[in-house]
Amino acid sequence: MNTRRLLRTFAIGIGTAGLLVSGCSGGGSSPSASATGTAAPEGLSSYYTQKLSWRDCGVEGFECTTMKAPRDYDKPDDGDIDLAVSRKKATGPGKRIGSLLVNPGGPGGSAIGYLQGYAALGYPAQVRARYDMVAIDPRGVARSEPVECLTGKEMDAFTQVDQTPDDDAEVEKLGTAFEKFAQGCEKRSGEILPYVSTVDTARDMDVLRALLGDEKLHYVGASYGTFLGATYADLFPERAGRLVLDGAMDPSLTAVDMNRDQTAGFEAAFQSFAADCVKQPDCPLGTTSTADAATALKQLFKDLDAKPIPTGDDRELSESLATTGVIAAMYDEAAWPQLREALGGAQRSDGSGLLSLADSYYEREPNGKYANLMFANAAVNCLDLPPAFDSPDAVEKALPDFEKSSPVFGRGFAWASLNCAYWPTKATGAPQRTEAKGAAPIVVVGTTRDPATPYKWSQSLAGQLSSGTLLTYEGDGHTAYGRGSDCIDTAINTYLLEGTAPTNGKKCT
C-alpha cells in the first residue's frame, strides 16, 4: 500500500461510496480472563509458543515470516489460518524499546505493504532507531489468505454501476450489483468470511506480540487501524503499551450514524477544497464562491450520469468513477492541484484524470487487476456491524438526512450504505463503547477537517477510553502523524520514545 492511510469507507461499493463504514465494532468471542495476564489464553498455548522462522523477503533490510492462528478462536482445534508478518529491525543508536506494530487502515489495507513502502523508511529516524518496525497483514488481507470476490473485468463493471439511482430500474440494478458482489465473495472465499472480524485480528495481534517476545504491544494505527488498536486495548488492557490511534473511529456508533457522519465529513472536506479552488486561476469550478463550485461539481456529475465521457482507456468515465476520483483527492490537500486539473479535463470531455484518481483509490493496476483491498473491506465491515439499511425503502427514507449532510455526496453515500444488506455472513459485532479499563495512556489523534474520520469521532473515542488523551491537529486531510506538523510529530515521538503522553486536549496547527 502506498503512503495514503485511508479508511476505505466506500471503497467496496458502487463508485464512490459502495461501502461506507458498515462495520466498526468487533465480532467474535472475547478471550478468557487469563489473556490479560502473562499466560496464553486457554486452549491457545500452541499458538502462543510457536517458533517463527524468519527469512529474507526480497526487500532490502526486511525479514518475513508466517504465523499460524486459529481460524475460529472459539474452536481452535478446527484448523489454522496462515498470517504474513514482516519486520525491519531497530537500527540504533539507543536502547531498543521493543516492536512497533503498524497498520494503515482500511479495513483491507496491506500493513506489510505500508511497512515496506513507507513506515519502516519514513517514520522519524529516532523511532526507527529504537523499535523493530513490524506489520502483519490482517486475516483476509493481501498476503494473509486474502478474500477474493470478483475478477478484474467484473470489478470494472461493478465500479461503474450508478450509485445515485433515479428510478426503480436503476435501484434494482444497484441491488443486483451488491448481490452479485456478495455472491462472488461467498463463492470464492466463503470458508473464511465468518472469521475476519476486527476482534479476530486483534487477537492475532496478541499472538504476534507474544511471539516477538514483547510484554506489551506498542502500536501506531491510522484510520480503521485506530479501531483495531482500540479493540486490542479493550481485549488486553494490561498488555496495551504505547498506542497511537491517528484519525480515530467511534466504535459506539451504528453503521447508519457512522455513514451519515462521514457524509458530512466529506462535505466539509469539499468545502475546504472549493474555498481554495475558487482562489486559483485554474479552478474549473468557477472563481466566485464555494456554493457556485458545489453547483458546478453537481452539474458535472449530472452530465456524466446522462453521458459518460472517454478516458483513452476502454472504460468511460461514469458519474460513479468521477465521484470516486473526487473523493480520493479529499484525503490529502496535496492532491488538490491534481484534482483541479482532472476536473478541468473532464469538462473538456477528457475523463483520464479522474479515472486515474479513481483507479489509484481502488488500487487497480494498469493491467486491470485489483488488489484485494475492496473485497477485504466488505468482508470485515459487514461482519463487524449489522447493515446500515436492510432494504431500498429504508434508504429512500434516509435520503433527506444524507442529502442534508452533503448536498454534493449525500445521495450516493446513502445508497452505498445498502451493500451489507446482501452479505452472506451475519454480522457478529455490534456498536459498543470501548473503555480499555486498566490500560496505560493511549494517544488519540484527531484532525479537525478530516473527511473520512470526522474529528468528533476522535473526541468520542478519547472520551470513552479510560486512559485516552486527545491530541488535535487543526487542519485538513486524513490523519496527522507524519504529514508536516512538527507539533504533532514531536508529541507522538515523545510518547513513543519516552512513554510520556501529551497533555489531554493539546492542539497543533
Side-chain angles (χ1 to χ4, degrees):
M1 180 158 180
N2 58 25
T3 58
R4 293 178 303 144
R5 286 159 286 179
L6 307 184
L7 177 67
R8 299 286 180 162
T9 57
F10 33 75
I12 186 53
I14 298 306
T16 167
L19 178 64
L20 289 178
V21 181
S22 62
C24 295
S25 259
S29 62
S30 297
S32 63
S34 63
T36 60
T38 57
E42 183 178 353
L44 299 179
S45 178
S46 63
Y47 295 102
Y48 273 78
T49 58
Q50 66 186 287
K51 303 296 183 183
L52 296 180
S53 178
W54 293 96
R55 63 187 183 278
D56 182 278
C57 46
V59 181
E60 185 177 356
F62 291 89
E63 297 177 302
C64 290
T65 192
T66 300
M67 180 191 97
K68 290 190 178 297
R71 183 175 294 261
D72 183 350
Y73 274 96
D74 286 341
K75 301 176 181 178
D77 294 332
D78 282 2
D80 300 335
I81 186 169
D82 292 331
L83 305 174
V85 181
S86 183
R87 74 177 176 188
K88 189 174 189 294
K89 289 186 176 180
T91 59
K95 182 179 179 181
R96 177 184 175 276
I97 296 172
S99 304
L100 183 63
L101 197 66
V102 297
N103 183 282
S110 171
I112 291 178
Y114 175 67
L115 176 80
Q116 296 179 352
Y118 174 67
L121 307 172
Y123 270 32
Q126 61 268 41
V127 173
R128 293 182 284 118
R130 299 187 60 196
Y131 282 100
D132 292 344
M133 301 293 293
V134 181
I136 177 172
D137 274 350
R139 49 178 63 206
V141 174
R143 300 162 179 84
S144 294
E145 300 196 15
V147 173
E148 298 294 345
C149 301
L150 301 178
T151 66
K153 287 189 176 296
E154 289 171 338
M155 191 65 184
D156 280 346
F158 183 74
T159 61
Q160 296 182 70
V161 176
D162 188 353
Q163 84 278 13
T164 56
D166 301 313
D167 54 38
D168 289 345
E170 290 187 349
V171 169
E172 183 177 357
K173 186 175 181 180
L174 178 62
T176 299
F178 284 139
E179 187 173 15
K180 286 183 176 179
F181 185 97
Q183 290 172 347
C185 299
E186 184 176 30
K187 178 182 178 181
R188 294 175 173 89
S189 301
E191 290 185 0
I192 195 177
L193 292 185
Y195 309 114
V196 295
S197 74
T198 297
V199 164
D200 289 322
T201 295
R203 299 188 69 176
D204 295 339
M205 287 164 52
D206 194 60
V207 175
L208 178 58
R209 172 204 57 76
L211 300 181
L212 293 170
D214 292 330
E215 182 180 347
K216 294 193 174 186
L217 180 86
H218 304 307
Y219 175 82
V220 177
S223 198
Y224 162 79
T226 67
F227 175 57
L228 184 56
T231 299
Y232 179 89
D234 206 37
L235 293 174
F236 307 100
E238 294 179 17
R239 292 180 176 178
R242 301 169 190 178
L243 270 58
V244 177
L245 309 180
D246 185 11
M249 294 173 62
D250 182 352
S252 70
L253 295 177
T254 64
V256 67
D257 287 339
M258 188 169 292
N259 293 353
R260 190 168 46 239
D261 283 353
Q262 209 172 40
T263 302
F266 277 97
E267 178 68 23
F270 173 73
Q271 291 296 323
S272 290
F273 164 75
D276 176 77
C277 184
V278 297
K279 299 175 184 177
Q280 308 298 328
D282 64 340
C283 181
L285 302 179
T287 57
T288 52
S289 69
T290 57
D292 288 343
T295 298
L297 182 60
K298 289 174 67 177
Q299 184 61 51
L300 175 63
F301 290 159
K302 183 177 180 180
D303 293 342
L304 292 170
D305 187 26
K307 185 179 180 181
I309 60 175
T311 63
D313 188 275
D314 59 0
R315 294 168 295 153
E316 291 184 314
L317 183 75
S318 61
E319 177 195 19
S320 55
L321 284 172
T323 310
T324 302
V326 173
I327 288 295
M330 294 296 100
Y331 283 87
D332 189 346
E333 63 271 28
W336 290 356
Q338 181 183 359
L339 178 58
R340 293 198 303 271
E341 182 178 354
L343 288 170
Q347 291 180 338
R348 299 187 298 273
S349 295
D350 175 7
S352 60
L354 284 175
L355 181 65
S356 178
L357 282 167
D359 283 351
S360 175
Y361 184 83
Y362 282 127
E363 294 194 2
R364 182 189 189 273
E365 298 175 9
N367 64 5
K369 181 178 174 58
Y370 287 77
N372 103 297
L373 180 144
M374 308 302 163
F375 312 138
N377 181 275
V380 176
N381 280 340
C382 294
L383 197 59
D384 274 354
L385 274 187
F389 301 116
D390 60 7
S391 69
D393 286 346
V395 178
E396 292 279 6
K397 292 178 182 178
L399 281 176
D401 283 346
F402 275 76
E403 291 182 299
K404 181 179 180 181
S405 295
S406 175
V408 177
F409 305 116
R411 187 173 181 84
F413 276 40
W415 281 108
S417 307
L418 181 62
N419 72 315
C420 285
Y422 301 88
W423 200 247
T425 304
K426 186 177 180 180
T428 54
Q432 60 184 23
R433 287 179 57 84
T434 300
E435 299 180 356
K437 294 180 179 179
I442 298 172
V443 176
V444 179
V445 189
T447 298
T448 54
R449 292 186 295 279
D450 189 319
T453 51
Y455 177 62
K456 68 178 183 179
W457 291 1
S458 294
Q459 292 176 302
S460 178
L461 180 59
Q464 291 172 46
L465 292 168
S466 62
S467 59
T469 181
L470 179 64
L471 175 63
T472 298
Y473 174 58
E474 296 179 330
D476 295 293
H478 183 40
T479 73
Y481 187 41
R483 298 190 67 238
S485 169
D486 288 340
C487 175
I488 291 289
D489 291 354
T490 297
I492 293 176
N493 293 343
T494 299
Y495 171 66
L496 291 175
L497 296 171
E498 300 176 11
T500 303
T503 303
N504 186 35
K506 179 178 176 63
K507 294 183 179 181
C508 298
T509 57

